[in-house]
Amino acid sequence: MKKSCLLATPLFFFLVAGSGFAQSIDVLSTSATNAYDKKLYAKAASLFLKAAEREPENIDFAYNAAASYSMAGDKENAFKMLALAKKQGLLDTNSLANDIKFKALRSDQRWQALMLDFQSAAKQNALLWDSPSLTTPYRDNISEDEKVAGLSKLWSEVKFNFWNSARLVELDWDGLYLKYLTKVRATQSTAEYYRVLQEICAQLKDGHTNVSLPAEVRSQYNVNPLFRTHLIEGRVLVRAVFDPSLEAQGVLPGVEVTHVNDEPVKAYAEREIAPFQSASTAQDLQVRAYNYAFLRGPLSESPRVTFNTAHGESFSLAIQRPDQAAMASARFFNRPNFDFKMLPNDVAYVALNSFEDDSASEKFLEHFDEIAKASGLILDIRQNGGGNGNVGFRILSTLTDKSFKDSKWLTRTYKPTFRAWGRTVPAHEAPAGINAPDGKRLYAKPVILLTSAATYSAAEDMAVAFDSMKRGKIYGEPTGGSTGQPLSFKLPGGGSARVCTKLDSYADGKQFVGVGVQPHKLVRPTVADIRAGKDTVLLAALEELAKNSLAANRHSARR
């Protein structure tokens, strides 16, 4: 899960002495957020400034005040608050450079100087945590010293930053480190080395804690074929094909994969793929092993895959993994971040496929007047892998006239002196954020949210908030069960890794990480429906809305 600073994170920092004081910060934050939503930017800036004065350690208040001043056209105070945020420790130059709320400042001569100041401070800070000494470039086989140093960095970042310290004790993380020192020293290439790093990381069982391969390894040793599969009812089915030549040979949606190189497909996946996938739940691992990473491997190899049609006809093909030219010409099915259409019985269907940018919420608001006419609304986040949680909350704000909560969270704290004194390392806990209703737009008719194991990260944040709002039912399958704030860092040989630093939960403390957000109605795709071109989950949601509509009509008739 990733959230922008503005208008979300301030409500997470109420760990102050005295409930009355905490409440006053809460009120200030909520009032400031509401004022900003109503475009009362000067008022929002004033309230965020008061909050910043009361909690000077909370960088977000100063950042939000700066953004509000910028939107109000008050450049002088905007620059002052940005300078204060930098002094308090803000180093995220990407947020500043890309945040549209600072557009009015970028033509000012002070902007460039400020950005250089931020960049200089960020570079200085990076020397401690991401030193150039350990960010060596890719070579076919980096040195043994680089390999050991990379494993050591991964080990230390996990040990001090991974949210689940209990898992580290259970695994004996130090013991694993010693075991994998031998493994990394034995590797004969950088590609093999990174595979070993992926293997140790996968044992943490967290989908936001993983190793990213160097670009050269991805393009030569980690290539997917030009079709995608899913595990459905225990069988591996082709779901999408991107190569006409494969289609001509019979590789079509609905065809089953039974063997890879004469090995039963599940045995192959469990041996060759699953041990290297960082996943938070069993359903998350299934998505990674049978969808995202299935048949991934070296460009130079062509695995022999056996298929079985719906009519029981079996055939085998040597599947050529595509080079960059073949990838460029492939007909990939690119889902738009937002997709809207009207379905029978006046039901609005909205697919929200990504929260990587604001386009999903912007398009939703753009089409809201059309959506508002519908008798029922289906929000589909089954293919949404996450991004920024605020995108989903913005959409949810149009479905209610009341404030609603999102996730509470915790992270580890580490104070070396406390450890020297023999004290335990406490967790820093923060309450759920409070989101204001839209105020101008309100859809009050029935809503159903569709989820799957591919619903992940910031999309799960939306599912948690929707569930807590009791605004409607969730249909489909449990979500992937992994959200939090990853900490990214570079590794020798051109790759990188990230470690999940934060555990999210429902506002009341109910856990979904490692479990998944549970649907109110469990509905899974079936092989028969996939082969018939039917969407099992969507059909169940439509049936539910039809029942609601019928019941409402009967009630109206009795009146």
Side-chain angles (χ1 to χ4, degrees):
M1 179 195 77
K2 185 166 63 177
K3 292 187 177 182
S4 63
C5 289
L6 185 64
L7 308 178
T9 51
L11 303 186
F12 294 157
F13 291 83
F14 305 145
L15 299 185
V16 290
S19 59
F21 187 73
Q23 180 62 26
S24 66
I25 290 291
D26 191 348
V27 170
L28 275 174
S29 299
T30 304
S31 299
T33 301
N34 289 340
Y36 188 94
D37 285 341
K38 295 175 182 177
K39 299 185 179 180
L40 302 173
Y41 300 124
K43 181 179 179 181
S46 176
L47 292 169
F48 278 128
L49 176 58
K50 288 180 181 179
E53 290 170 346
R54 292 193 181 183
E55 275 196 5
E57 72 278 9
N58 186 344
I59 300 170
D60 295 302
F61 288 137
Y63 183 96
N64 288 346
S68 300
Y69 277 127
S70 176
M71 294 297 288
D74 187 345
K75 294 183 180 181
E76 193 66 34
N77 279 315
F79 276 110
K80 283 182 181 179
M81 294 311 296
L82 282 176
L84 175 61
K86 176 185 171 295
K87 184 177 180 181
Q88 292 174 339
L90 178 68
L91 298 174
D92 188 358
T93 55
N94 287 332
S95 290
L96 287 172
N98 298 314
D99 197 332
I100 195 172
K101 291 173 282 294
F102 296 113
K103 183 179 179 180
L105 305 185
R106 293 187 183 123
S107 60
D108 192 293
Q109 60 182 3
R110 290 172 289 183
W111 178 259
Q112 191 60 33
L114 180 71
M115 288 299 294
L116 290 173
D117 202 15
F118 267 94
Q119 289 165 4
S120 176
K123 286 179 181 179
Q124 187 63 31
N125 183 69
L127 291 175
L128 176 62
W129 303 110
D130 230 359
S131 167
S133 299
L134 295 184
T135 58
T136 56
Y138 174 80
R139 299 189 306 283
D140 287 343
N141 190 21
I142 59 175
S143 69
E144 183 178 305
D145 286 346
E146 288 172 286
K147 292 175 182 177
V148 170
L151 174 64
S152 300
K153 184 172 185 179
L154 176 63
W155 164 81
S156 64
E157 292 284 12
V158 168
K159 178 150 186 166
F160 288 95
N161 299 309
F162 186 49
W163 69 268
N164 192 353
S165 55
R167 179 63 180 162
L168 300 182
V169 173
E170 177 187 337
L171 280 174
D172 183 10
W173 188 240
D174 290 351
L176 270 183
Y177 170 70
L178 285 174
K179 176 181 176 181
Y180 275 79
L181 277 172
T182 302
K183 286 194 171 191
V184 299
R185 287 191 176 110
T187 59
Q188 299 298 308
S189 68
T190 300
E192 185 184 349
Y193 166 66
Y194 268 90
R195 189 167 170 84
V196 171
L197 293 187
Q198 287 183 322
E199 184 181 39
I200 187 174
C201 215
Q203 296 179 61
L204 295 167
K205 295 185 178 179
D206 185 280
H208 281 88
T209 303
N210 46 30
V211 172
S212 295
L213 306 177
E216 295 84 354
V217 172
R218 289 197 302 271
S219 62
Q220 294 295 317
Y221 301 98
N222 213 48
V223 186
N224 284 89
L226 290 174
F227 66 91
R228 293 291 179 269
T229 55
H230 278 89
L231 186 68
I232 299 174
E233 294 186 315
R235 298 160 69 180
V236 182
L237 258 63
V238 175
R239 292 294 300 272
V241 184
F242 312 118
D243 183 356
S245 67
L246 286 174
E247 292 175 325
Q249 296 176 85
V251 182
L252 300 168
V255 167
E256 182 180 1
V257 177
T258 62
H259 293 76
V260 178
N261 294 329
D262 296 324
E263 182 177 14
V265 64
K266 283 189 176 179
Y268 165 81
E270 289 172 8
R271 176 185 59 79
E272 186 68 18
I273 305 172
F276 307 96
Q277 304 303 311
S278 291
S280 296
T281 58
Q283 63 267 25
D284 182 17
L285 183 58
Q286 282 188 1
V287 169
R288 295 176 185 277
Y290 293 100
N291 181 356
Y292 302 149
F294 187 68
L295 290 180
R296 183 180 292 168
L299 183 61
S300 59
E301 295 179 2
S302 299
R304 188 157 195 83
V305 179
T306 303
F307 300 91
N308 198 22
T309 70
H311 304 295
E313 299 166 348
S314 181
F315 64 97
S316 296
L317 295 174
I319 300 297
Q320 179 69 49
R321 295 185 176 109
D323 57 19
Q324 292 182 352
M327 288 284 285
S329 62
R331 306 172 312 175
F332 280 104
F333 173 61
N334 295 315
R335 295 184 180 89
N337 290 352
F338 173 90
D339 187 23
F340 163 59
K341 58 186 174 184
M342 294 301 299
L343 299 178
N345 298 320
D346 212 25
V347 173
Y349 169 84
V350 175
L352 305 167
N353 295 317
S354 175
F355 292 156
E356 286 298 331
D357 57 36
D358 293 337
S359 60
S361 57
E362 289 174 355
K363 290 287 186 181
F364 184 87
L365 298 181
E366 199 177 295
H367 289 275
F368 184 82
D369 289 344
E370 298 170 75
I371 294 168
K373 297 173 185 176
S375 62
L377 171 62
I378 295 175
L379 296 174
D380 189 349
I381 55 173
R382 286 177 292 172
Q383 301 302 321
N384 193 322
N388 188 330
N390 293 328
V391 180
F393 302 151
R394 185 72 189 89
I395 293 167
L396 293 180
S397 74
T398 67
L399 308 182
T400 181
D401 57 359
K402 300 178 179 64
S403 295
F404 61 93
K405 293 182 178 180
D406 47 57
S407 306
K408 67 180 291 186
W409 59 273
L410 65 82
T411 188
R412 292 166 58 191
T413 59
Y414 182 70
K415 298 179 179 179
T417 302
F418 278 25
R419 184 177 166 200
W421 289 340
R423 297 184 185 180
T424 58
V425 178
H428 171 83
E429 298 187 59
I434 301 171
N435 299 268
D438 182 281
K440 293 180 180 179
R441 307 170 187 85
L442 175 61
Y443 184 84
K445 286 172 272 190
V447 182
I448 292 180
L449 185 72
L450 308 185
T451 62
S452 76
T455 304
Y456 218 63
S457 195
E460 293 184 275
D461 297 332
M462 182 184 189
V464 166
F466 180 83
D467 193 14
S468 299
M469 292 166 68
K470 302 187 184 305
R471 181 59 185 84
K473 293 182 179 180
I474 300 175
Y475 269 46
E477 301 171 273
T479 65
S482 178
T483 190
Q485 181 60 58
L487 169 68
S488 298
F489 51 93
K490 297 175 183 176
L491 293 171
S496 63
R498 62 180 190 168
V499 174
C500 188
T501 63
K502 180 162 70 74
L503 170 67
D504 290 294
S505 65
Y506 278 75
D508 62 4
K510 178 183 174 181
Q511 296 296 313
F512 68 92
V513 170
V515 182
V517 178
Q518 300 299 305
H520 302 113
K521 176 79 171 179
L522 179 64
V523 188
R524 300 186 189 278
T526 68
V527 171
D529 280 351
I530 291 297
R531 286 177 166 170
K534 296 179 181 178
D535 187 332
T536 315
V537 181
L538 179 58
L539 288 172
L542 285 170
E543 183 179 348
E544 174 69 16
L545 289 176
K547 289 178 182 177
N548 289 341
S549 179
L550 183 60
N553 289 338
R554 286 174 177 170
H555 178 73
S556 178
R558 286 196 298 270
R559 292 176 60 187

